């Protein structure tokens, strides 16, 4: 999606993407983060077979009581993960809590269904994946060693806008956010009420038929963030950085480590080219708040 915009800026004006591809793909492009769609941290995780020795230890690091594994059970294991994805970011953070890094394990550059197949065949010991592949992994009996949320690895989906588009269409951005935030309220109040609509959306979006069970699973696992909470996350005090700025900076730093550890030359990037996004604003969220306030009068 980022490459498409770089090659043809008119291909889209507004999109929504997780932070990892945003940081990797948005270098040298004038894009602005204007809001958060949802949090992917409960639908991204590390999966292993039910008889894995990784599951024998839980809470090795007392700061992360719900995480399975130990340095002894993880060292030397092989993990399948697609490089430069949220799954790869989570694997980095997972290893960190055991004072480990990629030099302590073996990594196979595979993602999604391919990685699940390698785990089924016993060719790898663990996989780092995201929804909807997490649903498939669980349906096959694989067990969660950790979600991104368990290790405080936040993975927000960001509303991203071409900065040139905002110059003449700021009102459109604000109205879009207001409309989305109305749906956020609906999801918080009664998430199951959205199951049929979500099933219809996925059918149109992916050309695949997803079961109602999966749609309900996916809605319940994806947490959304109400307006006032988003405004606090975007708030910048004095010369300090907002929570969103700090989060993006942390991810950019992890990506440099990830690229350095990569076994291929295809992902080599210098530190100067890996930057956390500079353009982050709460301007349109504030306008959306005024729109919603007028609607409710």
């Amino acid at each position: 999606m980022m490459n498409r915009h770089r090659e043809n800026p008119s291909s889209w004006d507004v999109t929504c993407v997780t932070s990892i591809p945003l940081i990797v793909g948005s270098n040298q492009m004038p894009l602005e983060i204007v809001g958060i769609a949802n949090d992917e941290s409960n639908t991204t995780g590390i999966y292993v077979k039910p008889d894995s020795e990784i599951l024998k230890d839980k809470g090795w690091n007392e700061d992360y009581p719900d995480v399975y594994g130990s340095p002894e059970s993880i060292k030397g294991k092989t993990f399948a993960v697609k490089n430069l994805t949220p799954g790869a970011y989570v694997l980095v953070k997972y290893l960190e809590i055991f004072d480990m890094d990629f030099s302590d394990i073996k990594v196979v550059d595979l993602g999604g269904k391919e990685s699940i197949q390698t785990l089924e065949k016993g060719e790898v010991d663990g996989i780092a994946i995201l929804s909807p592949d997490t649903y498939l992994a669980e349906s096959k009996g694989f067990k969660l060693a950790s979600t991104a949320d368990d290790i405080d690895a936040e993975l927000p989906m960001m509303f991203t806008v071409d900065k040139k588009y905002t110059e003449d269409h700021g009102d459109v951005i604000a109205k879009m956010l207001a409309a989305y935030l109305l749906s956020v309220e609906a999801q918080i109040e009664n998430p199951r009420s959205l199951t049929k609509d979500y099933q219809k959306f996925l059918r149109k979006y992916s050309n695949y038929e997803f079961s109602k069970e999966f749609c309900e699973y996916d809605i319940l696992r994806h947490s959304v963030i109400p307006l006032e909470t988003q405004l606090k996350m975007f708030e910048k005090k004095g010369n300090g950085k907002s929570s969103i700025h700090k989060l993006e900076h942390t991810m950019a730093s992890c990506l440099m480590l990830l690229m350095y550890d990569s076994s291929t030359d295809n992902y080599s990037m210098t530190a100067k080219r890996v930057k956390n996004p500079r353009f982050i604003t709460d301007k349109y969220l504030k306008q959306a708040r005024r729109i919603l306030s007028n609607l409710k009068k």
Side-chain angles (χ1 to χ4, degrees):
M1 193 176 292
M2 293 296 159
N3 286 338
R4 190 189 311 161
H5 189 271
R6 182 178 283 105
E7 294 166 3
N8 177 18
S10 64
S11 61
W12 54 261
D13 299 308
V14 184
T15 191
C16 189
V17 66
T18 55
S19 295
I20 303 303
L22 174 61
I23 293 169
V24 175
S26 65
N27 278 293
Q28 301 169 357
M29 278 198 293
L31 303 176
E32 195 163 33
I33 295 174
V34 299
I36 304 172
N38 62 267
D39 183 4
E40 297 280 321
S41 59
N42 267 322
T43 57
T44 306
I46 313 291
Y47 284 83
V48 297
K49 283 190 170 183
D51 59 353
S52 171
E53 65 175 319
I54 290 174
L55 297 176
K56 293 179 181 178
D57 297 292
K58 185 179 182 182
W60 178 88
N61 184 325
E62 294 180 1
D63 291 331
Y64 305 95
D66 296 320
V67 176
Y68 289 90
S70 67
E72 294 75 22
S73 63
I74 295 170
K75 190 172 180 62
K77 294 292 191 295
T78 301
F79 288 82
V81 60
K82 192 66 180 173
N83 203 13
L84 303 183
T85 64
Y89 171 67
V90 170
L91 184 56
V92 168
K93 301 298 287 184
Y94 176 72
L95 293 171
E96 278 184 357
I97 74 170
F98 301 104
D99 298 319
M100 303 172 77
D101 57 36
F102 276 14
S103 66
D104 296 296
I105 63 171
K106 298 174 184 177
V107 179
V108 179
D109 187 15
L110 284 175
K113 293 179 177 60
E114 286 183 298
S115 66
I116 293 173
Q117 290 169 359
T118 61
L119 185 58
E120 279 187 291
K121 295 175 183 177
E123 296 173 356
V124 298
D125 303 292
I127 56 178
I129 53 175
L130 53 155
S131 181
D133 298 313
T134 51
Y135 181 79
L136 177 60
E138 290 178 16
S139 71
K140 291 180 177 292
F142 298 136
K143 301 298 181 181
L144 256 176
S146 174
T147 65
D149 187 55
D150 291 333
I151 52 177
D152 298 330
E154 297 173 80
L155 287 168
M157 286 279 286
M158 302 290 197
F159 283 115
T160 307
V161 185
D162 186 295
K163 211 168 187 309
K164 293 181 180 178
Y165 181 78
T166 64
E167 293 174 4
D168 298 316
H169 302 90
D171 59 326
V172 177
I173 302 303
K175 290 174 182 177
M176 178 209 71
L177 289 172
Y180 185 76
L181 288 161
L182 283 174
S183 69
V184 165
E185 292 179 11
Q187 184 164 334
I188 291 172
E189 291 172 6
N190 187 6
R192 287 183 173 85
S193 68
L194 304 176
T195 301
K196 288 184 179 180
D197 287 332
Y198 188 46
Q199 187 179 30
K200 182 179 179 182
F201 161 75
L202 286 175
R203 186 187 304 121
K204 184 176 181 179
Y205 174 74
S206 67
N207 290 323
Y208 289 105
E209 187 71 39
F210 287 87
S211 68
K212 289 182 180 179
E213 289 76 16
F214 166 76
C215 292
E216 185 170 298
Y217 161 94
D218 214 39
I219 290 171
L220 292 172
R221 292 284 288 271
H222 280 91
S223 59
V224 289
I225 303 170
L227 173 58
E228 295 304 321
T229 302
Q230 290 202 34
L231 284 168
K232 288 179 181 178
M233 294 175 72
F234 276 78
E235 184 179 11
K236 180 182 176 183
K237 295 181 179 179
N239 295 319
K241 293 182 179 294
S242 69
S243 297
I244 294 297
H245 273 99
K246 291 176 183 177
L247 176 59
E248 298 299 294
H249 177 75
T250 298
M251 289 184 175
S253 299
C254 280
L255 278 173
M256 283 188 276
L257 172 64
L258 193 61
M259 292 167 189
Y260 175 79
D261 282 333
S262 174
S263 60
T264 73
D265 294 327
N266 297 333
Y267 300 106
S268 60
M269 271 183 154
T270 66
K272 290 183 179 179
R273 288 177 61 196
V274 183
K275 300 177 181 178
N276 58 308
R278 290 171 296 162
F279 305 118
I280 300 175
T281 180
D282 61 1
K283 173 182 176 181
Y284 306 104
L285 283 171
K286 289 178 177 177
Q287 290 179 20
R289 179 164 60 180
R290 288 194 290 271
I291 292 170
L292 292 172
S293 178
N294 290 332
L295 281 175
K296 294 173 181 179
K297 284 182 179 178

